[in-house]
Amino acid sequence: MATKEALPGEADVVIVGGGIVGCAAAYYLAKRGASAVLIEKDEIGRAQSGRNWGFIRQQGRHPLELPLMIESNRIWSGLERELGADVEWVQGGNLALATVPDRMALFEAWCKTAREHGLDTNVLTPAELTQLIPDLHGEWLGGMYTQSDGHAEPRKATQAFACAAAAHGVRIVERCTVESIGTTNGAVSEVATDRGTIRTRMAIAAAGAWTARLAKPLGLSLPVRWVRSTVARTTPLRKVTDVGVWAPSVAFRQRRDGTLNLGGGGWADHDVTLDSLRHARLFMPNYLKNRSLFQFHVGSPLFADAIARLPGSYGRRHPFAAKWALEPAPNPSKVKWTFDEFRRLFPTVGDMRITETWAGYIDATPDAIPVIGPVDRPRGFVFATGFSGHGFGLGPIAGRLAAELAADGKTSLDIRGFRFSRFAEGAIGEPRSVL
Ligand SMILES: Cc1cc2nc3c(=O)[nH]c(=O)nc-3n(C[C@H](O)[C@H](O)[C@H](O)COP(=O)(O)OP(=O)(O)OC[C@H]3O[C@@H](n4cnc5c(N)ncnc54)[C@H](O)[C@@H]3O)c2cc1C
């Protein structure tokens, strides 16, 4: 898909970022007949969109996301047919497990909200858990299950959107970095890359964890924290379950080839950089509430970041080039912990070992919901970012909404709750995820 041809001199829309959100936006723009160019600084789907667990779930997040989750799930159900590609979609449901009454109470409350939206989410008893996943051991109080949820293979899905977009006429340009967005009279007028400049009136900022750096020179201060999350893959096992499972200590899904993707429940690592204290006031309430889930690391990212800020340094001139961020280090103690926990919960599934581990940087906002929508100034600048660990499932609908905004200036779903201005208005609530 990569092209070394000269960039087009102009386009209706330039999309920054070839993750699932940017690629889906490109596909939906092409279907609407817009001329679009997608610029990716690395390879399609090599950042978060190719590294995540692959859960596509409509449960346990902020209720504001529910209409988007439901529509995205509908798209996922028909996506392989629509894109003509195998994305390993499995509609096996998603299950969250509880060992303590507080968590069960959250499940009960969430189920009520979900049912108001017509979702098939239910609280399960221990007996029903055994029926659903006979191999599951452990002392469970119960679970929360949404049968229509599913999972898919992250990189395949992202690339499928990119290929379909290219087939419909979008120029997908890999290994090209957007350096800045130019404006004239308060409106987007060009996108400058390291391979040339594209004239445009519309830029979609789908640059994942990098979006804040893209927006800052425009006077848009986007609060995000980079959170490092570790994943491990195992040798193939006999069929255990099609359900995506989220236990307090380990989350997993079984892929079609029998291998498992294991992730670490709710915890995350934060690599301290000079940005770690930015927007501290906004992040503090969430941090204080969940401090046991975070581990802070002072290491090479901080030193690399400090050097990159020095006047005249390469990093200062090229803020998107930070090499340390391309291949984040997986946390070995978390790999061991999740593996041991899986073995504890599934002692009868036979021999297994870890074959591969990796990590990815999640872009988390203070209220753990995304930023989707235009800004007042510059006109023509649309955010589609900050998915806070849920952007794979939401990717198709987020891309479609960004495409609708760029092409029509309005959206088919209400996105006011995701507006960028909520941070300045002080209109952010607590993160409301149940998991
Ligand atoms: C370990 C892990 C597990 C996760 N599990 C799940 C899950 O189970 N379910 C779920 O729904 N979500 C999950 N997520 C979150 C999900 O992966 C993300 O929310 C989603 O992939 C975000 O997609 P995106 O397109 O916004 O960003 P990204 O996939 O990060 O893509 C952004 C792209 O922009 C490019 N870019 C940045 N700056 C520039 C520039 N200046 N010029 C050109 N290109 C640029 C980057 O190279 C990158 O490819 C997980 C994330 C991680 C890391």
Side-chain angles (χ1 to χ4, degrees):
M1 207 178 305
T3 172
K4 286 284 173 200
E5 290 164 32
L7 295 184
E10 63 183 311
D12 293 341
V13 186
V14 176
I15 300 155
V16 189
I20 192 160
V21 175
C23 293
Y27 171 70
Y28 289 111
L29 275 167
K31 284 194 59 172
R32 302 175 97 80
S35 82
V37 180
L38 182 150
I39 308 287
E40 166 55 53
K41 73 184 173 73
D42 190 7
E43 288 169 15
I44 295 296
R46 215 170 87 81
Q48 294 181 82
S49 295
R51 292 166 185 270
N52 62 69
W53 297 350
F55 282 7
I56 292 147
R57 60 194 178 100
Q58 305 159 95
Q59 61 176 27
R61 298 284 307 194
H62 197 293
L64 264 180
E65 287 184 355
L66 259 172
L68 276 64
M69 296 186 214
I70 291 168
E71 182 59 7
S72 216
N73 186 277
R74 195 192 61 72
I75 299 174
W76 276 106
S77 308
L79 198 63
E80 293 191 320
R81 203 174 42 252
E82 164 138 24
L83 301 182
D86 172 13
V87 302
E88 297 195 27
W89 164 249
V90 177
Q91 196 158 25
N94 197 277
L95 172 71
L97 291 163
T99 52
V100 291
D102 282 2
R103 194 159 148 107
M104 282 305 286
L106 288 173
F107 290 176
E108 299 278 1
W110 175 267
C111 272
K112 199 165 158 279
T113 312
R115 282 200 217 101
E116 282 162 16
H117 285 78
L119 265 175
D120 54 344
T121 306
N122 288 301
V123 167
L124 302 188
T125 62
E128 287 167 327
L129 291 179
T130 306
Q131 230 175 347
L132 184 66
I133 310 180
D135 283 313
L136 176 67
H137 284 57
E139 297 293 310
W140 304 108
L141 279 186
M144 177 170 71
Y145 179 59
T146 305
Q147 194 171 3
S148 55
D149 282 349
H151 52 90
E153 196 48 30
R155 196 135 186 215
K156 278 190 179 177
T158 305
Q159 288 176 338
F161 266 119
C163 288
H168 283 78
V170 176
R171 276 287 298 282
I172 308 273
V173 187
E174 294 178 289
R175 303 204 177 285
C176 177
T177 299
V178 171
E179 305 275 19
S180 63
I181 292 180
T183 61
T184 307
N185 298 328
V188 169
S189 55
E190 62 178 37
V191 171
T193 81
D194 56 358
R195 292 196 5 218
T197 296
I198 307 171
R199 283 189 305 284
T200 188
R201 290 187 178 170
M202 193 62 73
I204 296 178
W210 303 85
T211 310
R213 289 188 183 201
L214 188 71
K216 199 172 165 206
L218 297 169
L220 303 168
S221 184
L222 179 71
V224 280
R225 277 290 172 279
W226 290 30
V227 176
R228 177 161 50 91
S229 176
T230 292
V231 192
R233 182 163 295 162
T234 70
T235 43
L237 295 183
R238 67 167 167 80
K239 181 61 158 277
V240 179
T241 180
D242 277 339
V243 180
V245 178
W246 193 314
S249 52
V250 57
F252 74 91
R253 71 180 175 99
Q254 188 166 28
R255 300 170 66 234
R256 281 196 195 147
D257 63 5
T259 60
L260 298 175
N261 274 19
L262 301 178
W267 328 295
D269 294 298
H270 177 69
D271 294 322
V272 174
T273 66
L274 297 186
D275 281 333
S276 294
L277 285 178
R278 284 190 78 212
H279 304 291
R281 188 180 50 81
L282 292 174
F283 284 97
M284 203 46 84
N286 185 18
Y287 166 67
L288 291 176
K289 203 169 147 207
N290 296 299
R291 88 180 102 185
S292 61
L293 299 177
F294 289 98
Q295 246 179 37
F296 291 88
H297 302 267
V298 175
S300 51
L302 176 60
F303 301 118
D305 189 40
I307 289 167
R309 309 287 173 122
L310 294 174
S313 68
Y314 181 82
R316 180 111 170 206
R317 280 178 281 124
H318 302 284
F320 301 99
K323 284 216 169 53
W324 59 268
L326 288 180
E327 205 49 73
N331 183 330
S333 59
K334 289 192 175 159
V335 171
K336 182 174 178 332
W337 171 269
T338 50
F339 182 79
D340 291 348
E341 280 299 294
F342 181 84
R343 296 292 306 166
R344 193 174 66 80
L345 302 187
F346 291 89
T348 58
V349 295
D351 282 344
M352 58 188 282
R353 64 188 165 76
I354 301 289
T355 57
E356 204 186 333
T357 61
W358 66 90
Y361 281 116
I362 290 173
D363 50 345
T365 62
D367 47 5
I369 57 173
V371 180
I372 308 174
V375 295
D376 290 341
R377 241 173 133 82
R379 294 184 305 282
F381 184 89
V382 172
F383 276 120
T385 194
F387 288 88
S388 307
H390 196 202
F392 182 60
L394 287 174
I397 187 60
R400 198 185 84 194
L401 291 167
E404 289 171 0
L405 280 167
D408 311 334
K410 57 183 190 204
T411 52
S412 51
L413 295 174
D414 183 0
I415 56 165
R416 273 171 303 180
F418 307 112
R419 69 196 179 281
F420 168 70
S421 60
R422 70 183 190 267
F423 303 114
E425 291 160 12
I428 59 165
E430 274 190 28
R432 296 268 296 279
S433 47
V434 172
L435 304 171

